[in-house]
Structure formats: C-alpha cells, structure tokens
C-alpha cells in the first residue's frame, strides 16, 4: 500500500508514459534538457518562466522580481471546490488529466481503450501505520485529477496490510489508526477543495477475510515463487535478515485487491512498481484481467534522505502547529545554489505547485521578503523557482520562508478540523503519546462510607474496592458542604504516599472542583453506575501506576494544572476526557473551574 517516501528512478519500459510538469527530484535541469522521447516515453514540459529577474548584477539576497499580479496564498486555505469536468472532456483529455505529473504509467493503452467506452475505475490504497505527513498531498492532488477526469475512485484503508508489514501496528491500534486515516485524508482533500462525495472509502478487512478472498490468496500462494514474492515487496515491506512470512503474503493480497475492488487500475507511489508488475503477471494466471498501474513521484525527507513516518525530524505531520513547521523547515537541508539534492526545492515542486494548480490555471507561489532584500516575489511555475535558486538569486532563507507560509496555509484547515475533544482522543488512541506523569497515578472510583468534620478538615472514609477502606483528609473543610459527601462516588488517587495533614494521616487524595479562590469546592462524582475500585482512564495515556508516589517526585503537582473542567462540564487532562465505566466524568455547573486535592 502507498506510503510516500523517497525519490526513485525506475527503469523505463516500453509501456511507460512519462508526464512531468513537476519532475522527480532526482531529475536535474541539465538532464531534463537532454531527455528524449525514447522507449515510448516523453517528458512533457509545460512550464513557462515568468518570474524571478535575470539581472546578473544583483548579488546574494538583494533581488527584485519582475513578476506581476502578486497574490497571497489565502486561496489555498479556502480553495474553490474542484468539480469534475468530464462533460467537457474528450477521452484524450481525460487521459491527460489521469496521467499528468506521474512518474510512470504501466498499460497506458488499456486506459485509453477503457476511456473510449466509459470512465475509468481505480483505487489508491494506504496502510494505516505511521502518521500521515505533508508528502500525502502528492497522492491527494492526483486524486483531484482523477475526479476531474470523471474517474470512479476508491480509497482503500488497508488495515490488514498494515498488520502484515512487520507488525508495524497491532490490531488494538489499527482500529483507531484506520479511523484516523479516513478522517485526516478527508480533511486533506477538503483543504484543497476536492469534493469527497465522489470518493468511496473501503476498509480492507471488510472484504479481505471473506471465504472467496481467502481461497484466492491460497490459490495465489500455490503458483507464486518465494523469489517473486520477496522481490515484489522489496521496496514496500520492511526487510529483515530472516524474512517473516507476512512480508511474502503482502504483495499477493495487494494484487487481489484489484479484482475484489472491481477496478481497472491501481494508483500508488513508484515504490509500488514491483508489486504492480507482480499483479500484472499473476492475476491473469488466476483467470482475472490485467490492470493498469499509475505511479506518482516520491517525497524526500527534510534532511535530503527518506521522508519516514517513524523519523519525526524527516517529515512534517499534518497536525503539527505552525511554530513546529517553521522550526523543522528552518533546520532542513537547503544548500545555496544546490538544485540536485534539496528537499525544500523538491517539496516546492511536488507539493506546493500541484496543490496551487488545483485552484488556478496560473498558480502563484509568493515569497515574502523585506524591502532591503528586494521585496516580495511571486513565481507562477516551479522551473522559475529552480532557475532563480540555481543562479543564487533566491536565498535559501527566503525559499524556506515561502515554503513555511505555503505549508501552514495548507495545514491550517486540517488543524481546524481536529480541535474537538473527540478528535484529540482519536489521535491519542491511534498514536499514544510517550511516557506521561499521569500514567504513573493510580486513579480510581471511590465511594464515601462516612465522614466527620474535624475543625478545618473533613476526614472521609472511602471504599476503593480493595484492601480496607481508607481514611482521606480533605483540607478545605470550610469550603465543602459536608452533606454533599454522603454516600457519594468520588475520584481518588490511591498511590500517593500517606501524608500528615494537621493531626490526621491521609491515605490518598480526592479530586475536588474549585473556584479560583477556593471559596467553594465540590467533590467530583463519577457515574452512579461505577463501582468502587473502577479504574479511571484517559484515552491515549496507558495506566501504568507506580506502587507509591513519593512527595519529592511532585508528579501530582505536575499533573494538576493540566486537569481542567471544559465544555459540557467534562473533566479533561491535556484536552482528553477522564472516563469511568461507560462515560465521561463531569461536574455539573463547574465549567472553567480548576481542580485541587
């Protein structure tokens, strides 16, 4: 399944057609000029240079653009909807939309023959493993092209493939990651104006566990050699010294998906090429038709190597905040005048200009500069950017500034679609954060058995479902109504070290909702259906409590500022709800209040 990674240079076959408005990173200016239309492949260059001054007397960063009609990138954040225009397209024009900007196409004549009779059916598959990153805009812009050409497009959320790929995701995580992938892919498409109503989303295990599919996978296993299976997955499945059987099964299932999704073509990155060739060879041996295959260029990482979902410094995640995007891109490799190995230029070429082109026939890539360095400059095609950079008329710092602005314009609509508590919980469930102090606390439901007012303190006897009932001291006796404690469920931190409060020893802490001045306080009452001892959980933060928390660790003090009462009176930790039993923990009428113990 497709995961945008690094640039590659596939061997050219007779069935290959090359379209290259925004060529692959590995392609230099010189090699592009010398490329020929051999092997039935042709480089198509449609760029025109209309930006960046050719003045040789301007040195370093002090350049002046001759481009006109300077515009902002606000259209990217709120682009017009891209509607299919198939009613006005001929079969040849549809073929051009389908194949433009791709690195390679297998079986182009098959696509043409289908378009002569009807619209093309194709699918793009992605395995929900690591977090999708900025490179996923490359397939998104092609999906936009497919829809413009009237194609029937299916997006396969390949959960079974994710599991088979060296167990990058276990089944518990996969159910959340599959949901997250669908949500974020839809958000990406909306952010660039693509109508998702025309797309069909399918989860792999919805059909891949059927009797027919399983039997076909066994039929395939009976004819495929170990050599072919291993070769097919070499660029996609994680390779280890002692190969797992799952890695040999993976390519066969991807081939079968073409038949079971009833498509004419499969779309993916050029790293999928060996799997595509495998499918073309073996599907006919099962009695199924050969499909066409479309391959986009791959995305390099910020360091000049592979953009990997597992390497945080090599990529920009789709939900990263603006400051994080700026920090990463400022640190990215971008050597002045270097156009051959330059991840910033590559991203400009294969992400920024294709996305800008979706909303306008004349894309405008604006780079903001101070007047002393020549003022703002606008480019309307990638080649002009590269040429200016090669001549050192465009400084790396200025190029990075333009890319930072463009990326944040692309990402902001996506960020805005992931602001709710439910969305944050989905993200944390799909990609659990690293170790957090809250995981060290043992937080449980307790039930007040009895209480007594002792001067300025209230001593409460609480059943926590294990051991003997505990005595816990509430230090705010004058701020709490004793009657509110009678037989109530409470939230108890059970593993703090016993501490002396006044003349009493407290064996734990009870969470309290309080006003800012602590003049009014209430216990937090979980659902009445909860039982003493029930664990209180927070999505994405596994409960791994320590046996006892020492005061010097100050874990409770670190966590309390992040426990808040938010909209609908729901108690949250870092924006994620505290849950007990079948629901959220709430405190009625206390929205905006703080939490104390």
């Amino acid at each position: 399944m497709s995961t945008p990674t690094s640039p590659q240079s596939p061997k050219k076959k007779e069935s290959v057609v090359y379209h290259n408005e925004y060529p692959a990173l590995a392609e230099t200016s010189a090699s592009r000029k010398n490329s020929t239309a051999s092997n039935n492949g042709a480089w198509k260059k449609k760029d025109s240079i209309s930006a960046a001054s050719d003045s040789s007397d301007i040195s370093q960063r002090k350049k002046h653009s001759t481009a006109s009609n300077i515009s902002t990138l606000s259209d990217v954040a709120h682009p017009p909807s891209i509607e299919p225009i198939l009613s006005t397209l001929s079969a040849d024009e549809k073929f051009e939309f389908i194949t433009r900007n791709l690195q390679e196409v297998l079986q182009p004549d098959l696509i043409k023959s289908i378009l002569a009779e009807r619209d093309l059916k194709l699918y793009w598959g992605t395995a929900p493993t690591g977090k999708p990153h900025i490179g996923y805009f490359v397939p998104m812009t092609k999906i936009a092209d497919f829809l413009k050409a009237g194609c029937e497009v299916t997006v396969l959320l390949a959960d079974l493939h994710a599991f088979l790929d060296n167990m990058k995701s276990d089944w518990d995580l996969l159910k959340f990651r599959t949901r997250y992938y669908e949500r974020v892919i839809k958000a990406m498409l909306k952010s660039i104006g693509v109508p998702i109503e025309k797309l069909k989303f399918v989860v792999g295990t919805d059909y891949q566990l059927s009797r027919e599919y399983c039997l076909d996978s066994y039929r395939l296993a009976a004819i495929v050699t170990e050599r072919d299976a291993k070769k097919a997955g070499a660029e996609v499945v994680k390779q280890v010294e002692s190969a797992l059987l799952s890695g040999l099964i993976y390519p066969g299932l991807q081939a079968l998906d073409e038949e079971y999704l009833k498509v004419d073509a499969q779309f993916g990155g050029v790293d999928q090429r060996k799997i595509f060739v495998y499918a073309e060879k073996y599907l006919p041996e099962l009695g199924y038709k050969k499909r066409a295959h479309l391959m986009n260029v791959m995305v390099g990482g910020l360091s000049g190597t592979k953009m990997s979902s597992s390497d945080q410094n090599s990529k920009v995640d789709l939900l990263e905040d603006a400051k994080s995007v700026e920090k990463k891109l400022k640190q990215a490799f971008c050597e002045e005048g270097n156009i051959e190995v330059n991840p910033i230029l590559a991203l400009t070429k294969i992400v920024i200009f294709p996305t800008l082109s979706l909303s306008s026939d004349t894309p405008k890539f604006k780079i903001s500069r101070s007047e002393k360095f020549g003022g703002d400059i606008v480019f309307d095609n990638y080649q002009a950017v590269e040429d200016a950079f090669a001549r050192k008329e465009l400084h790396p710092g200025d190029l990075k500034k333009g890319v930072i602005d463009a990326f944040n314009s692309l990402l902001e609509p996506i960020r805005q679609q992931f602001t709710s508590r439910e969305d944050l919980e989905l993200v944390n469930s799909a990609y659990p954060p690293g170790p957090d102090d809250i995981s060290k606390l043992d937080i449980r439901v307790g039930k007040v058995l009895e209480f007594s007012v002792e001067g300025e303190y209230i001593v409460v006897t609480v059943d926590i479902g294990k051991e003997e009932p505990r005595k816990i001291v509430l230090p705010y006796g004058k701020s709490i109504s004793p009657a509110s404690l009678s037989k109530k469920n409470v939230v108890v931190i059970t593993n703090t070290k016993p501490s002396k409060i006044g003349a009493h020893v407290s064996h734990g802490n009870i969470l309290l909702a309080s006003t800012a001045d602590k003049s009014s306080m209430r216990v937090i009452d979980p659902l009445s259906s909860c039982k003493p001892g029930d664990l209180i959980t927070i999505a994405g933060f596994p409960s791994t409590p320590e046996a006892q928390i020492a005061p010097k660790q100050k874990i409770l003090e670190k966590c309390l500022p992040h426990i808040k009462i938010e909209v609908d009176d729901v108690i949250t930790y870092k924006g994620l709800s505290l849950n007990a039993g079948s629901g959220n923990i709430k405190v009625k009428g206390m929205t905006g209040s703080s939490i104390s113990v």
Side-chain angles (χ1 to χ4, degrees), residues 221-454:
I223 60 175
V224 174
T225 65
E226 181 267 348
R227 177 183 176 277
D228 280 357
K230 192 170 185 178
K231 179 181 178 182
E235 302 296 328
V236 178
V237 180
K238 185 175 181 180
Q239 300 298 298
V240 293
E241 184 175 345
S242 181
L244 297 173
L245 183 59
S246 59
L248 303 179
I249 296 172
Y250 186 111
L253 302 190
Q254 186 167 337
L256 286 177
D257 289 337
E258 297 179 355
E259 173 63 24
Y260 280 80
L261 292 172
K262 302 302 178 186
V263 296
D264 308 306
Q266 182 180 172
F267 165 59
V270 74
D271 61 337
Q272 309 278 315
R273 191 181 196 283
K274 291 177 181 177
I275 293 181
F276 293 163
V277 172
Y278 171 103
E280 291 187 12
K281 175 181 178 180
Y282 283 107
L283 280 187
E285 292 190 29
L286 294 180
Y288 299 136
K289 66 181 181 181
K290 181 184 293 187
R291 270 73 176 185
H293 296 93
L294 307 133
M295 287 161 273
N296 61 253
V297 299
M298 305 307 291
V299 184
L302 298 180
S303 62
T305 56
K306 178 180 178 179
M307 183 173 287
S308 169
S309 293
S310 60
D311 183 355
Q312 288 297 320
N313 293 322
S314 77
K315 61 169 185 164
V316 174
D317 283 338
L318 298 174
L319 299 184
E320 287 200 50
D321 60 57
K323 288 185 178 180
S324 178
V325 172
E326 180 178 8
K327 181 179 178 181
K328 283 188 175 182
L329 290 177
K330 281 185 174 180
Q331 294 175 345
F333 179 76
C334 186
E335 183 181 32
E336 187 175 19
N338 183 349
I339 63 172
E340 296 188 27
V341 181
N342 191 320
I344 300 299
L345 275 178
L347 291 168
T348 305
K349 180 186 302 181
I350 62 179
V351 174
I352 294 175
F353 271 95
T355 53
L356 289 173
S357 298
L358 292 177
S359 56
S360 173
D361 292 333
T362 55
K364 301 293 183 183
F365 174 44
K366 178 182 176 182
I367 295 177
S368 299
R369 304 187 300 188
S370 66
E371 288 300 325
K372 69 178 181 178
F373 294 130
D376 294 352
I377 185 171
V378 175
F379 297 93
D380 64 8
N381 65 88
Y382 168 73
Q383 191 60 52
V385 178
E386 183 180 288
D387 291 345
F389 194 84
R391 294 192 298 265
K392 298 187 179 181
E393 295 174 358
L394 178 60
H395 190 272
D398 294 331
L399 175 60
K400 287 182 177 182
K401 177 65 167 61
V403 173
I404 289 167
D405 291 343
F407 275 11
N408 278 323
S409 292
L410 277 174
L411 297 179
E412 185 56 27
I414 302 174
R415 297 181 192 123
Q416 292 302 316
Q417 293 187 58
F418 279 84
T419 56
S420 72
R421 186 168 58 249
E422 292 76 11
D423 288 327
L424 292 175
E425 289 176 357
L426 174 59
V427 174
N428 267 31
S429 296
Y431 301 96
D436 190 280
D437 286 329
I438 198 73
S439 297
K440 300 176 183 178
L441 298 177
D442 190 11
I443 311 175
R444 296 183 180 272
V445 175
K447 189 175 184 66
V448 176
L449 300 178
E450 59 183 19
F451 63 90
S452 62
V453 178
E454 306 285 344

Side-chain angles (χ1 to χ4, degrees), residues 104-120:
E104 188 173 6
V105 179
L106 301 178
Q107 310 302 327
D109 291 340
L110 173 59
I111 296 175
K112 291 179 179 179
S113 67
I114 293 170
L115 290 174
E117 299 178 1
R118 59 172 173 80
D119 291 322
L120 192 71

Side-chain angles (χ1 to χ4, degrees), residues 192-205:
I192 55 176
V194 179
I196 62 174
E197 297 79 13
K198 304 291 183 179
L199 293 174
K200 179 169 68 174
F201 286 81
V202 176
V203 177
T205 49

Side-chain angles (χ1 to χ4, degrees), residues 17-31:
V17 175
Y18 289 93
H19 296 266
N20 202 36
E21 289 184 42
Y22 312 106
L25 170 62
E27 196 72 7
T28 65
S29 294
S31 63

Side-chain angles (χ1 to χ4, degrees), residues 35-90:
S35 63
T36 60
S38 61
N39 296 323
N40 291 331
W43 292 106
K44 295 190 176 181
K45 294 187 63 177
K46 300 181 180 178
D47 292 343
S48 60
I49 302 175
S50 62
S53 172
D54 291 327
S55 303
S56 58
D57 59 330
I58 303 177
S59 63
Q60 297 303 314
R61 296 179 66 181
K62 209 164 187 177
K63 310 295 186 294
H64 297 270
S65 171
T66 59
S68 60
N69 299 321
I70 292 177
S71 61
T72 67
L73 294 176
S74 60
D75 287 344
V76 180
H78 303 285
S81 180
I82 299 167
E83 296 295 340
I85 54 176
L86 62 159
S87 60
T88 62
L89 295 180
S90 66

